[in-house]
Amino acid sequence: MSVPEDEERLLPLAQRWPRASKFLLSGCAATVAELATFPLDLTKTRLQMQGEAALARLGDSARESAPYRGMVRTALGIVQEEGFLKLWQGVTPAIYRHVVYSGGRMVTYEHLREVVFGKSEDKHYPLWKSVIGGMMAGVVGQFLANPTDLVKVQMQMEGKRKLEGKPLRYRGVHHAFAKILAEGGIRGLWAGWVPNIQRAALVNMGDLTTYDTVKHYLVLNTPLEDNIMTHSLSSLCSGLVASILGTPADVIKSRIMNQPRDKQGRGLLYKSSTDCLIQAVQGEGFMSLYKGFLPSWLRMTPWSLVFWLTYEKIREMSGVSPF
């Protein structure tokens, strides 16, 4: 039954435009989480680029000259060699990315959960539906956000290029977008989209599926209520699972996005995500797929905690039902 137009105008915005409201609320929560944890993301990306075996084909001496450093030494090195604020280099496109990515994935997941798959009358939601919903939500959100993710990864490596004596590629975020578009066309903005959505599917299977499953299990089967304790426990679990599932795909994604390209926008190091995977394992060993796992986990866990606590709180404040 439709609501009369006069009455609809009196409804809160969250009820008049529920999907748009959830998109904006998740974007706000993601912005807070991104600002709080971005230095760990930068450290993770730098670690994933170290010792890249495929660079040897181009005669790049950076692989031999750059010593391998762990998480702490990499972070301290950035501060000492580039400056403290460089820990947030690339944060602007990262925020752009997360507004689009988080908004897209949250709206998609809830639509699938509530409309397409549907919960049972006792609010039970089967794990297999949650897994499919989480993966599909990740694919949709990441595909929409791929251009901003590409710019973020490339800008995160600008400080390293400067230290190696290489010319900087971009003057800023908007110049990066314009240059990538000019050199590779629209296709260039979606470079690396295949490993990107593969990673997003795995990460969201870990994040959304774990959070939703653990939260509702705790609410339905323990004395815990839908409160900050439940949200915290659920987010801690989701951060760990997402890191375990997503780190290998994240390494592949970062390398494909950061590789040099020809005038047609084709990569010079890797033909595909499979080719990148094979080269990494053959040239550096299987554990190269987990380069940057520690900062990834240490970042994903607080990111997940900050995001879900903020998201649940602003939903409550805005009159939107809990996730």
Side-chain angles (χ1 to χ4, degrees):
M1 182 176 179
S2 61
V3 179
E5 186 175 347
D6 290 339
E7 293 184 17
E8 184 178 353
R9 290 176 181 173
L10 298 176
L11 292 174
L13 291 177
Q15 294 183 29
R16 290 167 61 185
W17 299 302
R19 289 192 179 89
S21 298
K22 291 173 182 177
F23 186 98
L24 292 174
L25 293 176
S26 61
C28 291
T31 299
V32 174
E34 195 67 18
L35 287 170
T37 63
F38 189 79
L40 285 168
D41 186 55
L42 176 63
T43 303
K44 174 204 70 176
T45 301
R46 294 285 183 91
L47 280 170
Q48 289 172 345
M49 298 302 171
Q50 290 182 11
E52 196 169 357
L55 287 173
R57 293 210 317 268
L58 295 182
D60 197 318
S61 61
R63 180 175 179 249
E64 287 76 23
S65 61
Y68 183 83
R69 300 189 293 190
M71 182 190 74
V72 176
R73 290 183 62 193
T74 297
L76 290 176
I78 293 172
V79 173
Q80 294 170 353
E81 297 163 7
E82 304 171 43
F84 178 75
L85 292 180
K86 291 299 182 180
L87 288 172
W88 279 269
Q89 183 165 331
V91 72
T92 301
I95 291 175
Y96 291 165
R97 180 247 181 186
H98 264 289
V99 169
V100 178
Y101 169 68
S102 294
R105 72 180 185 128
M106 300 305 292
V107 171
T108 300
Y109 183 81
E110 289 200 69
H111 178 74
L112 291 172
R113 186 181 66 181
E114 308 297 338
V115 178
V116 178
F117 294 139
K119 287 185 177 181
S120 60
E121 293 183 0
D122 62 354
K123 295 185 178 181
H124 178 68
Y125 191 51
L127 179 61
W128 69 269
K129 290 184 179 181
S130 185
V131 168
I132 295 174
M135 295 183 73
M136 291 180 66
V139 168
V140 171
Q142 187 55 61
F143 184 79
L144 294 174
N146 197 82
T148 54
D149 204 18
L150 174 65
V151 171
K152 182 200 78 168
V153 169
Q154 296 206 4
M155 288 198 68
Q156 284 179 328
M157 298 305 296
E158 287 298 273
K160 183 172 182 285
R161 288 177 62 88
K162 184 176 180 180
L163 290 175
E164 293 171 353
K166 299 177 181 178
L168 298 182
R169 296 172 292 185
Y170 313 114
R171 295 191 299 270
V173 176
H174 299 101
H175 178 244
F177 275 112
K179 186 175 180 181
I180 293 172
L181 184 62
E183 293 178 351
I186 295 295
R187 177 183 175 183
L189 290 173
W190 267 267
W193 71 272
V194 173
N196 227 357
I197 65 171
Q198 290 170 344
R199 172 191 177 272
L202 292 171
V203 167
N204 281 277
M205 182 173 68
D207 185 30
L208 287 174
T209 300
T210 303
Y211 182 84
D212 196 19
T213 302
V214 173
K215 175 187 171 181
H216 287 94
Y217 176 83
L218 293 174
V219 171
L220 296 174
N221 298 281
T222 72
L224 291 175
E225 299 180 355
D226 193 347
N227 54 28
I228 190 171
M229 177 60 71
T230 303
H231 303 160
S232 298
L233 291 173
S234 303
S235 63
L236 290 173
C237 293
S238 68
L240 175 60
V241 176
S243 295
I244 294 173
L245 294 178
T247 296
D250 194 32
V251 172
I252 302 302
K253 177 214 73 170
S254 295
R255 291 187 173 192
I256 287 181
M257 284 187 155
N258 193 60
Q259 69 176 320
R261 298 183 178 276
D262 60 19
K263 294 182 179 179
Q264 285 72 45
R266 294 190 294 259
L268 299 177
L269 297 180
Y270 311 111
K271 299 176 183 177
S272 64
S273 56
T274 303
D275 181 44
C276 182
L277 172 67
I278 292 172
Q279 289 195 50
V281 173
Q282 290 181 343
E284 305 162 56
F286 177 78
M287 291 309 296
S288 66
L289 298 177
Y290 279 90
K291 280 185 177 180
F293 173 78
L294 183 57
S296 178
W297 173 53
L298 291 177
R299 189 236 180 194
M300 183 68 74
T301 299
W303 192 98
S304 183
L305 182 65
V306 173
F307 172 79
W308 285 112
L309 292 183
T310 305
Y311 187 48
E312 293 277 18
K313 188 61 179 179
I314 59 178
R315 281 176 73 114
E316 178 187 337
M317 295 170 61
S318 304
V320 180
S321 59
F323 179 76

